[in-house]
């Protein structure tokens, strides 16, 4: 039986074409046993209509609507509190996951139950111009050491277990940025962190990111 994955995305001031590509990259995953929790953190009517129709078309999508913009960190906390999956995967509204991302991450986590957090290799596009790939080695001790001076795990590539997440204090609502790195430190204290050594995520840095 396939374990349930909860994919959590917060959407604020999104561009429709980019959001569609990001959402579809999850819907079309080869690993199909997931719930897709999308937090609508205040958007225009075009995005609101798109998200409302998504929920009608795919029963795996759960939509949470914030009456006010509360920001990424608090939205993620609410989404995770609502989630039911054994594994929690992150996806940003302007990034893309390749079709085998969830499948390969769940396979690794299943075979390595002491792993609390796993990322992937990823490609970053800067303003639609330059590109750079980030390919960290899967060495748990080295990855933990790297947290002291860099972030080897892209937020949109991250998957962590609900069990290990609950052993920490979760995302810290005090942080509007770097909330991911703060959580990675906490998860590294209760389990091992790892990387799938394959390019599985495209990260976009937009002018309004």
């Amino acid at each position: 039986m396939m374990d349930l994955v909860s994919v959590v995305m917060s959407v604020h001031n999104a561009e429709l074409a980019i959001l569609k590509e990001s959402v579809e990259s999850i819907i079309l995953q080869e690993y199909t046993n997931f719930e897709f929790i999308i937090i609508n953190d205040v958007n225009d009517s075009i995005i609101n209509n798109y998200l409302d129709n998504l929920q009608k078309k795919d029963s795996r999508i759960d939509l949470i609507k914030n009456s006010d913009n509360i920001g990424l960190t608090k939205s993620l906390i609410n989404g995770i509190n609502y989630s039911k999956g054994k594994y929690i995967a992150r996806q940003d509204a302007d990034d893309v996951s390749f079709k085998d991302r969830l499948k390969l991450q769940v396979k690794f986590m299943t075979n390595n139950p002491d792993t609390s957090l796993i990322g992937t290799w990823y490609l970053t596009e800067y303003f639609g111009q330059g590109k750079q790939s980030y390919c960290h080695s899967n060495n748990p001790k080295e990855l933990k050491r790297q947290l002291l001076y860099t972030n080897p795990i892209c937020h949109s590539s991250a998957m962590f277990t609900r069990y290990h997440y609950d052993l920490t204090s979760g995302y810290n609502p005090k942080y509007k940025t770097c909330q991911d790195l703060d959580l990675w430190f906490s998860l590294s204290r209760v389990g091992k962190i790892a990387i799938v050594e394959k390019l599985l995520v495209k990260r976009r840095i937009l002018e309004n990111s």
Side-chain angles (χ1 to χ4, degrees):
M1 183 177 177
M2 300 169 72
D3 289 312
L4 180 66
V5 175
S6 299
V7 183
V8 182
M9 171 193 284
S10 179
V11 182
H12 174 63
N13 282 348
E15 297 180 31
L16 182 60
I18 291 174
L19 177 61
K20 280 185 175 181
E21 188 179 359
S22 181
V23 167
E24 287 172 5
S25 77
I26 295 299
I27 291 174
L28 298 176
Q29 285 289 304
E30 292 176 353
Y31 191 92
T32 57
N33 190 28
F34 62 83
E35 58 175 3
F36 193 2
I37 301 169
I38 302 177
I39 302 97
N40 184 344
D41 192 28
V42 181
N43 290 274
D44 61 29
S45 59
I46 295 174
I47 299 298
N48 290 339
N49 290 336
Y50 169 69
L51 294 176
D52 288 341
N53 288 328
L54 268 180
Q55 191 174 28
K56 297 173 184 175
K57 292 178 180 178
D58 194 323
S59 61
R60 298 174 298 180
I61 294 175
D62 284 314
L63 187 61
I64 298 174
K65 294 182 180 181
N66 294 341
S67 56
D68 298 301
N69 173 241
I70 63 173
L72 175 62
T73 309
K74 291 180 180 179
S75 292
L76 294 181
I77 291 171
N78 291 344
I80 291 172
N81 288 341
Y82 180 83
S83 69
K84 306 176 186 70
K86 179 177 181 179
Y87 303 112
I88 298 164
R90 276 284 291 115
Q91 174 80 11
D92 279 332
D94 48 8
D95 297 339
V96 172
S97 290
F98 299 169
K99 62 182 181 180
D100 51 349
R101 175 200 162 188
L102 297 183
K103 178 181 71 175
L104 293 177
Q105 288 187 300
V106 169
K107 180 180 179 181
F108 186 98
M109 297 290 250
T110 301
N111 293 331
N112 300 272
D114 56 346
T115 299
S116 57
L117 167 68
I118 188 166
T120 74
W121 289 355
Y122 62 97
L123 175 71
T124 298
E125 288 186 352
Y126 296 93
F127 305 104
Q129 299 173 2
K131 297 180 181 180
Q132 184 174 353
S133 58
Y134 294 85
C135 304
H136 297 274
S137 297
N138 181 36
N139 182 325
K141 289 184 179 179
E142 175 62 17
L143 289 169
K144 185 175 182 178
R145 188 183 71 83
Q146 288 178 7
L147 292 175
L148 296 171
Y149 58 89
T150 188
N151 188 349
I153 296 181
C154 167
H155 208 173
S156 265
S157 78
M159 176 183 286
F160 44 90
T161 75
R162 182 58 185 255
Y163 168 76
H164 288 100
Y165 181 84
D166 287 343
L167 293 178
T168 74
S169 298
Y171 283 105
N172 189 329
K174 293 191 303 182
Y175 294 118
K176 292 183 178 180
T177 61
C178 297
Q179 66 281 106
D180 52 339
L181 184 58
D182 176 72
L183 179 60
W184 302 169
F185 272 111
S186 297
L187 289 169
S188 73
R189 297 186 188 103
V190 296
K192 294 180 179 179
I193 58 178
I195 291 278
V196 175
E197 293 181 332
K198 185 176 180 181
L199 194 63
L200 294 174
V201 168
K202 180 173 72 173
R203 178 179 180 234
R204 290 191 180 102
I205 305 297
L206 306 173
E207 290 188 54
N208 61 346
S209 291

